[in-house]
Amino acid sequence: MENNKGKTAIIIGAGPAGLSAAYCLLTETGMKPIVLEQERFVGGISRTAEHNGNRIDIGGHRFFTKSSEVNALWERLMPLQGKPSLDDVIFGTTDKELSSDGPDPEAEERVMLLRRRVSRIYYLKKFFDYPITLSAQTFRNMGLGRTVAAGFGYLWSVIFKKKEDSLANFYINRFGRPLYEMFFEDYTEKVWGRNPRDIAADWGAQRVKGLSLMKAVWTVITKPFRRGGTKVETSLIEQFKYPKRGPGQLYEVMACEIERLGGKIIKGAKVTKIITEGNRVTKVVTEQNGSELEFPGDVFFSSMPVKDLIAGMEGVPEDVKRVALELPYRDFMTVGLLVKKLKIENKTKLRTLGNIVPDCWIYIQEREVKLGRLQIFNNWSPYMLRDPQNTVWIGLEYFCNEGDEYWNMEDGKFIEFAIRELATIGIIDPADVLDSVRIRVKKASPAYFGSYREFGRVREYLSGIDNLWCIGRNGQHKYNNMDHSMLTALTAVRCVKAGITDKSAVWEVNTEKEYHEVKTENDK
């Protein structure tokens, strides 16, 4: 066991991974962490933004994990409020969660709510199950011709498997070509700006391990007969935890605890240089208010984009530098709209406040719009809104590249564009819009094409630096969920504590065949 008392850990980034590393270093070792964050807020893309009293979850963050370590950390910081049954989880519909005047703005209880997961696909101006299933409603929505084609296409995919050398073939093998073309191809191209033929199958293998049309149908058929221990794919989970005031609340709580325990978080500190001697990092250099400051340390954790990390280092082999500097990312924009009501009706059996549709988010598959996904924040938590009883607060998610036509469009014009798109597909009436805001997020998603195919060179080089640990989504250029990002940090701290310099365990988080968010019935 390594004696770490009195040592200093420099942590780049105050997102889920960076803050988790700092918190665990303080609670499990004697090491003092200094967290350097270039933004003026904590939480990274898991933060909760606020606009005129209404809160925005950047990207939608379900708190569900198979990792007992991550779950214990969440529970320690923000325990579940009571022990409601699933039948009680109806998205703030009753006086149990809200008084007649709405949520108390002074109530800052540090608790998680239990939420019901509802996510559907909006296609042909109709709702389809997500993941897609061959239910009676699906047949009615698709019509006879599409249904017959989908059925034969799926049977063909069962008999004749394609080599999984692309994301397109990954999906076709599991759903058949007709369903792939209807529900996966266009949406994936919206998200990544590339046809799935040009994207590595790694992304699908990581995000929907084990999921197929047959498994989705079988889950529905066997649901009444399942008992404890029966596993269900992550995309099929029925409930999840959620901080009362959005995901950022947990990271704000964690940041407060880090500082209370003696750690330091410095905001507005952009790391520009990583100084190494031999196979060790000795210090990092930041830009703050036009000045350069140096931060020496004994161990370093980086959750900054790999591209930027390598760019700040000297002496990197040219082939490694080339791969890193060409790594692709996808940027992201959210338009928050406060509206009087939605035009789409709640035709489900789920009760909701104001009888709005019960979805957490809706995948927009309509080809005529650029909009990728629609969040309904009322359904994540009523405390995300200033007035949840009389308004609906929605988030329109767009995937783009920094500097492209949509990224560069001024806020007012882009918001007008987004409102028109939502009206075009029959979801809102523009006259019902009360307020709006746009938020841009750079490097929101590391992408799996281009030089990513040679990423092994970069990983090998970074793994050879003894006291540098790459953690988190951007730190590993891996499309991790929140729990996986946190788990990379917990694993790295465990290695440091034990005096281990081998990075394999950290890089291998979320590479196992079974997805970390697979649940058992006992999780209820």
Side-chain angles (χ1 to χ4, degrees):
M1 187 71 64
E2 188 85 358
N3 182 7
N4 292 301
K5 287 189 177 182
K7 292 184 178 181
T8 299
I10 303 299
I11 300 172
I12 306 172
L19 291 178
S20 296
Y23 181 78
C24 290
L25 284 168
L26 285 163
T27 56
E28 298 181 17
T29 75
M31 197 171 289
K32 177 186 175 182
I34 299 175
V35 183
L36 305 172
E37 171 55 56
Q38 69 172 342
E39 303 291 352
R40 296 291 178 178
F41 52 80
V42 299
I45 62 171
S46 299
R47 71 180 173 116
T48 303
E50 188 171 344
H51 177 73
N52 293 336
N54 296 302
R55 294 169 178 260
I56 295 176
D57 181 344
I58 309 291
H61 293 85
R62 295 188 310 224
F63 283 69
F64 190 93
T65 185
K66 198 185 85 170
S67 167
S68 58
E69 288 180 273
V70 173
N71 196 60
L73 181 55
W74 288 344
E75 185 70 22
R76 193 183 317 153
L77 294 167
M78 296 186 69
L80 184 65
Q81 184 180 53
K83 298 295 178 185
S85 69
L86 187 59
D87 292 337
D88 293 329
V89 186
I90 313 177
F91 292 109
T93 60
T94 69
D95 293 336
K96 291 181 181 178
E97 286 192 338
L98 296 175
S99 68
S100 59
D101 295 324
D104 177 3
E106 300 300 322
E108 294 294 341
E109 300 96 333
R110 297 179 174 184
V111 296
M112 297 270 198
L113 304 176
L114 188 64
R115 315 313 286 155
R116 185 190 294 275
R117 173 208 170 271
V118 181
S119 300
R120 291 181 292 174
I121 296 168
Y122 193 68
Y123 175 57
L124 304 173
K125 296 183 173 62
K126 298 172 184 176
F127 282 105
F128 291 79
D129 293 334
Y130 176 82
I132 193 65
T133 62
L134 294 185
S135 65
Q137 185 62 48
T138 300
F139 296 153
R140 287 193 292 269
N141 286 351
M142 289 197 303
L144 180 61
R146 291 188 183 93
T147 299
V148 171
F152 279 110
Y154 176 66
L155 291 175
W156 182 270
S157 73
V158 171
I159 299 170
F160 301 101
K161 292 293 183 185
K162 291 181 172 291
K163 181 181 178 181
E164 291 192 355
D165 53 3
S166 70
L167 186 58
N169 288 349
F170 176 92
Y171 281 131
I172 291 170
N173 280 347
R174 285 155 180 77
F175 295 90
R177 181 173 291 279
L179 286 177
Y180 159 73
E181 291 176 348
M182 280 189 275
F183 295 107
F184 294 95
E185 186 172 30
D186 288 342
Y187 182 78
T188 302
E189 195 156 351
K190 282 184 184 180
V191 173
W192 296 109
R194 294 286 187 96
N195 188 282
R197 294 188 303 270
D198 302 323
I199 300 174
D202 303 40
W203 188 85
Q206 186 177 315
R207 299 296 287 180
V208 289
K209 294 182 179 78
L211 184 62
S212 66
L213 182 60
M214 184 57 69
K215 281 204 173 183
V217 173
W218 184 248
T219 297
V220 174
I221 294 172
T222 60
K223 180 179 177 181
F225 310 104
R226 290 199 302 269
R227 298 187 181 277
T230 302
K231 294 174 182 178
V232 179
E233 292 300 323
T234 181
S235 297
L236 306 176
I237 64 171
E238 295 173 337
Q239 64 185 42
F240 58 92
K241 298 176 184 178
Y242 195 72
K244 182 178 282 189
R245 302 186 188 279
Q249 186 183 13
L250 180 130
Y251 299 107
E252 290 159 10
V253 168
M254 190 184 290
C256 289
E257 285 297 295
I258 289 168
E259 293 180 325
R260 184 184 68 80
L261 292 169
K264 184 181 292 187
I265 299 174
I266 303 174
K267 300 173 187 174
K270 181 180 180 180
V271 173
T272 57
K273 298 176 185 176
I274 298 87
I275 311 302
T276 60
E277 290 183 9
N279 64 340
R280 294 181 64 82
V281 179
T282 57
K283 61 185 174 182
V284 300
V285 180
T286 66
E287 286 184 0
Q288 299 176 59
N289 301 318
S291 301
E292 284 194 345
L293 293 177
E294 295 183 351
F295 290 88
D298 299 289
V299 63
F300 295 78
F301 298 81
S302 173
S303 66
M304 70 190 295
V306 171
K307 182 177 187 175
D308 298 336
L309 175 69
I310 293 292
M313 303 173 75
E314 294 184 352
V316 178
E318 285 303 316
D319 61 331
V320 172
K321 183 181 293 186
R322 175 189 58 78
V323 173
L325 297 185
E326 292 177 2
L327 283 173
Y329 297 82
R330 194 67 164 153
D331 305 297
F332 178 85
M333 296 185 293
T334 289
V335 172
L337 293 182
L338 186 69
V339 298
K340 297 176 184 177
K341 60 182 182 298
L342 301 177
K343 290 178 69 176
I344 47 178
E345 299 178 3
N346 180 15
K347 295 182 180 180
T348 72
K349 295 180 181 179
L350 299 176
R351 293 182 294 122
T352 59
L353 188 67
N355 200 36
I356 61 174
V357 291
D359 306 75
C360 305
W361 60 52
I362 300 169
Y363 295 93
I364 306 298
Q365 302 282 25
E366 305 290 16
R367 290 181 170 90
E368 66 264 39
V369 297
K370 296 291 184 181
L371 175 63
R373 200 169 65 174
L374 176 70
Q375 286 200 72
I376 304 176
F377 297 116
N378 304 54
N379 295 340
W380 288 92
S381 167
Y383 295 92
M384 298 286 279
L385 282 77
R386 187 171 59 182
D387 183 8
Q389 293 179 316
N390 300 300
T391 58
V392 184
W393 180 229
I394 55 180
L396 289 67
E397 299 183 355
Y398 288 88
F399 309 97
C400 57
N401 292 323
E402 181 183 355
D404 69 15
E405 173 189 359
Y406 297 104
W407 181 274
N408 287 338
M409 196 180 294
E410 63 181 52
D411 287 348
K413 288 184 177 180
F414 189 82
I415 289 170
E416 289 176 6
F417 166 78
I419 291 172
R420 285 197 304 272
E421 286 212 321
L422 214 53
T424 296
I425 57 177
I427 291 181
I428 66 165
D429 183 335
D432 288 331
V433 176
L434 302 171
D435 196 6
S436 61
V437 67
R438 176 169 69 157
I439 298 173
R440 296 180 179 91
V441 180
K442 297 179 182 179
K443 293 185 175 68
S445 302
Y448 287 34
F449 48 82
S451 70
Y452 168 77
R453 297 179 187 277
E454 302 175 82
F455 185 71
R457 298 182 185 185
V458 180
R459 170 178 163 172
E460 183 179 2
Y461 175 76
L462 292 173
S463 296
I465 303 176
D466 283 351
N467 64 340
L468 174 64
W469 299 85
C470 294
I471 57 176
R473 175 182 280 208
N474 277 333
Q476 295 192 330
H477 200 86
K478 188 186 295 183
Y479 198 89
N480 282 328
N481 275 346
M482 237 178 358
D483 63 325
H484 296 125
S485 291
M486 298 176 82
L487 191 57
T488 61
L490 303 187
T491 305
V493 169
R494 189 164 58 242
C495 290
V496 169
K497 185 178 177 181
I500 297 171
T501 58
D502 183 0
K503 313 298 194 310
S504 300
V506 179
W507 286 105
E508 288 168 7
V509 169
N510 194 24
T511 59
E512 73 289 0
K513 292 181 180 179
E514 187 178 87
Y515 189 39
H516 268 293
E517 286 192 2
V518 172
K519 77 159 190 176
T520 68
E521 289 299 295
N522 289 330
D523 290 327
K524 290 185 179 180

